[in-house]
Amino acid sequence: MKVVREILFSIIGISVITLLILWGLGFFKGAKTPSQVANKVVPTTQKKVKNLKILALGDSLTQGVGDTKNQSGYQQRLAKKITKTKQIKKATIYDEGVSGERSDQILKRFKTTTKIQKEAAKSDVLIVTAGGNDLFQNLQKDVTESPSQVAVNVNRISLTYQDNLENIFKYARKLNPKIKIVMVGIYNPFYVYFPNVVAITDAINTFNTTAKATGDYFKHATFVDINALSVGQYKTLSQQQRLKKQSTEDDIAVVEKSQLEKSKFDTKEKNNYLSDADHFHPNDKGYNMMADKIFKAMDRARIFK
């Protein structure tokens, strides 16, 4: 057995020496050691650069009322964000916003306008702003009602609002089954002046809840909450409590009053995100915020993938 072991060790030793000689002579030139293979950097495949088409359909928030830089409100701001930070070569946005329209009027325009229908058919995304006119036009009619009756009326019109939104989304999917939907909520333009008018805050929350719930019925649909525009720079609870102490108004009638007596407002808007011109629509800073929130919602919904 001792002789056999000696012979085996000799064979192993000769084999090792032979391999080392061959390695030194370059016989294994080009071969990779295990560590070299492990450390090799494998290039990642770049995502294809593509174009993104968006149909912007809605009211004054889509039209961009209050924008002083002629960027169509949130639209061009959103397009710049997309092309700057995503693998998107070009973001084309079809502007179909009409100031003052309610959701039923937007639906009717969608169903009767060939141009918008063609845009929907070739778009990747539908962004909708609707609801503000539905709500505030009705609140102006309710200024003599009790708070409980106002709440009943808001719930009633929110059901009609829900039906209109559902039909807008369904019609868009009929024209283009693959189109993704982005529904933008509404905000309270009167909050910093009348923070104690709870009826308006509750009505805004009801409409936003309705809009989000409607979108939840559809696949590849997302809701964008822009209610932060309501409080503007008064973001903390203590700042909002200070506002409430400064205001004595708590009647829903301020909705009508604020529309008819705008001259009583300060020339400069108290809310840093709203327009000095009408104290109602977003200003450039407000549209920047709006574009940012829409962009982040689209990103979370993986619309850019």
Side-chain angles (χ1 to χ4, degrees):
M1 290 299 292
K2 183 178 180 182
V3 174
V4 173
R5 282 198 300 272
E6 289 176 350
I7 293 172
L8 287 173
F9 287 146
S10 297
I11 293 172
I12 293 170
I14 293 170
S15 298
V16 171
I17 292 169
T18 302
L19 288 172
L20 290 173
I21 292 171
L22 291 173
W23 187 280
L25 292 174
F27 187 81
F28 297 107
K29 187 177 181 181
K32 298 288 190 298
T33 65
S35 62
Q36 287 175 316
V37 173
N39 294 328
K40 183 179 179 181
V41 177
V42 180
T44 56
T45 304
Q46 292 291 327
K47 293 180 180 179
K48 291 183 180 179
V49 173
K50 64 177 183 178
N51 295 334
L52 188 73
K53 295 179 180 179
I54 299 171
L55 170 57
L57 179 66
D59 51 25
S60 55
L61 293 184
T62 296
Q63 185 176 318
V65 176
D67 177 11
T68 66
K69 295 189 176 180
N70 297 317
Q71 295 189 49
S72 301
Y74 75 81
Q75 295 179 42
Q76 291 182 31
R77 292 170 168 86
L78 176 63
K80 288 176 184 176
K81 280 181 174 289
I82 293 172
T83 54
K84 184 177 180 180
T85 61
K86 298 296 176 182
Q87 289 293 326
I88 306 292
K89 183 178 181 181
K90 183 179 180 181
T92 301
I93 302 184
Y94 304 111
D95 184 352
E96 297 296 349
V98 175
S99 180
E101 282 196 341
R102 300 181 306 272
S103 59
D104 61 306
Q105 295 170 313
I106 295 169
L107 173 61
K108 182 179 180 180
R109 182 160 54 92
F110 192 11
K111 286 192 169 184
T112 57
T113 309
T114 303
K115 177 175 174 285
I116 302 178
Q117 294 162 8
K118 289 181 178 179
E119 290 167 347
K122 61 185 177 183
S123 290
D124 303 291
V125 185
L126 168 67
I127 301 178
V128 178
T129 65
N133 294 308
D134 299 55
L135 179 59
F136 288 112
Q137 287 177 20
N138 277 278
L139 285 180
Q140 286 177 350
K141 299 174 185 177
D142 292 345
V143 294
T144 59
E145 302 284 1
S146 65
S148 59
Q149 186 58 50
V150 169
V152 170
N153 292 344
V154 167
N155 286 330
R156 174 179 50 79
I157 61 175
S158 72
L159 294 176
T160 302
Y161 172 58
Q162 181 178 38
D163 189 54
N164 291 331
L165 289 185
E166 187 175 340
N167 284 319
I168 290 171
F169 299 162
K170 283 181 177 178
Y171 191 63
R173 285 280 167 83
K174 179 181 178 181
L175 297 171
N176 182 351
K178 293 184 179 180
I179 197 168
K180 295 179 174 66
I181 297 168
V182 177
M183 179 65 214
V184 181
I186 61 175
Y187 62 95
N188 180 0
F190 306 127
Y191 178 82
V192 300
Y193 290 95
F194 312 117
N196 296 316
V197 185
V198 179
I200 302 178
T201 301
D202 291 345
I204 296 289
N205 291 336
T206 296
F207 262 60
N208 281 334
T209 300
T210 297
K212 185 179 184 307
T214 306
D216 287 344
Y217 282 110
F218 294 81
K219 289 184 178 180
H220 306 298
T222 188
F223 175 76
V224 184
D225 186 354
I226 62 167
N227 207 12
L229 289 174
S230 300
V231 299
Q233 70 273 29
Y234 305 98
K235 294 179 172 62
T236 68
L237 184 60
S238 61
Q239 288 174 325
Q240 292 167 23
Q241 288 175 338
R242 198 174 304 122
L243 277 177
K244 291 180 179 180
K245 288 180 180 179
Q246 293 170 357
S247 176
T248 57
E249 288 278 6
D250 60 3
D251 197 304
I252 190 68
V254 298
V255 174
E256 184 179 50
K257 188 187 302 182
S258 62
Q259 292 294 323
L260 300 177
E261 300 180 18
K262 288 176 183 172
S263 60
K264 288 190 175 180
F265 282 141
D266 298 331
T267 303
K268 183 173 176 58
E269 167 64 38
K270 283 177 66 175
N271 185 331
N272 283 352
Y273 292 95
L274 300 188
S275 169
D276 291 335
D278 63 12
H279 304 277
F280 192 91
H281 292 95
N283 56 18
D284 299 330
K285 188 174 182 179
Y287 279 118
N288 285 337
M289 176 197 279
M290 193 172 164
D292 185 60
K293 287 185 174 295
I294 293 172
F295 174 82
K296 288 177 179 177
M298 291 173 72
D299 198 24
R300 287 193 299 271
R302 303 176 65 83
I303 286 175
F304 306 120
K305 302 297 183 182

